[in-house]
Amino acid sequence: MELRCTVSPVEWRQDRVRILDQTRLPWEQSFIEMRDYLAVANAIREMRVRGAPAIGVAGAYGAALGALAIQTEDREAFLGELHKVIYTLAATRPTAVNLTWALRRVGQAVSRGRDVLQMKSLAVEEAQKIQHEEELATERLGRQGADLIPDGATVLTHCNAGALATCGCGTALGAIRTAKLQGKQVRVLATETRPLLQGARLTAWELAQEGIPVTLIADSAAGHFMSRGKVDCVIVGADRVAANGDVANKVGTYSLAVLAAENGVPFYVAAPLSTIDLTLASGDQIPIEERSPEEVTHILGSRTAPEGVSAFNPAFDVTPSRYITAIITPAGIARQPYIVSLRQAIEGRTQVGGGDNA
Ligand code: MRU
């Protein structure tokens, strides 16, 4: 049986980009159609489309829209304008490397065009190709990850690394869905994921729709469940993986990894190859997006903290690789030493993995 997900966070429709507005979930499924790359940039910044692979694809389509709108026949002038488009889109969210990776691909594809007309169609074609490749990669990743999930397992996940965050059925949730498809009984503990509640609003919504048993917990309850032996493994997504295996993911991931190590629970990260950044030696070099303090002082637009109180809001944190049991990629399961196994995965060598740090 094949794994199929009906949710599609980003689509290209006749020279428009259509996104499912994730800020409106789970209350309503509403879509936004955009013809202007600046609208796409705003949608990414405002997290109407979110999740590392999905913003990569949305960014690529944004660049394609930008390319189509450039009014010149001159090849060099066209490339100069496209550079501005790509720069604007890349600046929207700095942590997920998928965005800059996808934009670079569109830029490189366009530069192979003979004339402006051809360059415009190359931009659209490359963005579509990225989406298709990401779909296939997510499927392969799901199969790799499912092998790590025992029958009867309770898997804890954080944020949303599901169909809404990718093209396909998700990374962490893709592994869970595939395990379910293979006939395994799997239960999910989903952290609510403050401040923007991706776990409560998105992961719980996605899984409940498919009848996968999901129980929502407060972020701060994770240690309680792990210490009572109620969690068989943790699987999370990633926004960027450095060459040494350090992982940036939704803030709170680091705390979960430390708790997992303390309680002897395997901690897995699921990431497509577009999320692996071998140019960064370690997680210290990963830029961490800081979002508005209002996301912390308010919940869903209602103030919960006293007027005038200050707040900091890093959207991501970095989990050192020593806490990570394995990194699930479409090319295989990477293990310590990640400096070797991640390069093998990227270079397409089949033998991924070294020792086991579990
Ligand atoms: O701020 P978000 O909602 O875009 O953060 C998303 C995450 O942290 C996901 O875990 C990550 O992008 C992986 S999605 C497959």
Side-chain angles (χ1 to χ4, degrees):
M1 233 202 297
E2 223 182 315
L3 190 62
R4 282 271 155 261
C5 285
T6 47
V7 178
S8 179
V10 194
E11 277 176 23
W12 180 257
R13 293 191 160 199
Q14 292 168 337
D15 296 352
R16 288 177 198 187
V17 179
R18 188 179 95 144
I19 60 154
L20 172 59
D21 184 352
Q22 297 190 34
T23 64
R24 304 299 313 145
L25 288 172
W27 308 284
E28 63 182 44
Q29 284 185 64
S30 61
F31 294 88
I32 307 174
E33 282 211 346
M34 295 165 287
R35 302 187 87 134
D36 173 5
Y37 84 92
L38 288 172
V40 177
N42 280 335
I44 296 172
R45 198 178 294 109
E46 292 165 3
M47 294 174 59
R48 296 184 188 283
V49 56
R50 46 138 309 273
I55 64 174
V57 172
Y61 282 138
L65 280 185
L68 292 180
I70 296 170
Q71 303 282 335
T72 178
E73 300 291 306
D74 180 77
R75 202 178 170 283
E76 292 314 308
F78 177 84
L79 283 173
E81 287 300 310
L82 185 65
H83 181 74
K84 286 186 216 156
V85 169
I86 287 179
Y87 182 84
T88 304
L89 287 160
T92 53
R93 297 199 72 192
T95 303
V97 71
N98 307 62
L99 181 56
T100 39
W101 168 86
L103 290 169
R104 192 173 312 115
R105 272 189 59 167
V106 173
Q108 281 166 355
V110 162
S111 66
R112 291 194 283 271
R114 279 186 313 273
D115 53 43
V116 167
L117 197 64
Q118 191 189 30
M119 289 159 110
K120 289 184 176 183
S121 46
L122 283 172
V124 177
E125 277 166 34
E126 188 66 12
Q128 288 174 318
K129 199 165 154 215
I130 290 171
Q131 175 160 29
H132 182 60
E133 285 175 15
E134 290 289 81
E135 270 165 25
L136 296 178
T138 311
E139 213 176 290
R140 284 199 297 273
L141 187 154
R143 283 198 294 271
Q144 298 283 350
D147 291 345
L148 298 173
I149 302 176
D151 190 16
T154 296
V155 181
L156 186 143
T157 192
H158 187 52
C159 194
N160 173 267
L164 290 164
T166 61
C167 297
C169 291
T171 54
L173 298 194
I176 292 166
R177 285 182 162 111
T178 309
K180 177 101 190 316
L181 195 74
Q182 292 170 348
K184 294 178 186 169
Q185 297 293 323
V186 189
R187 304 187 68 82
V188 178
L189 275 187
T191 56
E192 59 178 349
T193 320
R194 270 288 282 151
L196 294 182
L197 300 171
Q198 290 93 328
R201 293 189 303 105
L202 309 178
T203 295
W205 179 78
E206 262 194 62
L207 294 177
Q209 280 205 332
E210 282 169 40
I212 297 180
V214 55
T215 305
L216 193 61
I217 60 169
D219 297 329
S220 45
H224 166 79
F225 288 101
M226 286 196 220
S227 71
R228 299 274 165 112
K230 304 281 187 213
V231 178
D232 296 294
C233 64
V234 178
I235 311 183
V236 295
D239 284 79
R240 196 184 296 229
V241 182
N244 70 344
D246 292 350
V247 167
N249 190 50
K250 178 53 55 194
V251 70
T253 301
Y254 172 39
S255 320
L256 291 173
V258 175
L259 283 168
E262 166 70 16
N263 290 287
V265 175
F267 185 90
Y268 301 120
V269 171
L273 300 181
S274 52
T275 304
I276 299 171
D277 184 356
L278 296 184
T279 69
L280 301 187
S282 77
D284 301 343
Q285 296 164 325
I286 300 176
I288 299 295
E289 175 184 4
E290 287 226 358
R291 295 188 60 85
S292 162
E294 273 202 12
E295 292 177 355
V296 178
T297 55
H298 292 63
I299 297 182
L300 302 174
S302 298
R303 172 173 281 285
T304 52
E307 206 61 69
V309 81
S310 69
F312 277 123
N313 186 15
F316 301 95
D317 60 22
V318 173
T319 301
S321 62
R322 65 180 177 279
Y323 292 112
I324 300 169
T325 310
I327 300 177
I328 306 160
T329 81
I333 308 293
R335 294 182 188 270
Q336 293 275 18
Y338 292 112
I339 192 85
V340 176
S341 59
L342 290 176
R343 188 164 289 281
Q344 284 177 343
I346 293 277
E347 288 173 0
R349 283 181 263 154
T350 46
Q351 185 60 42
V352 178
D356 193 339
N357 72 337

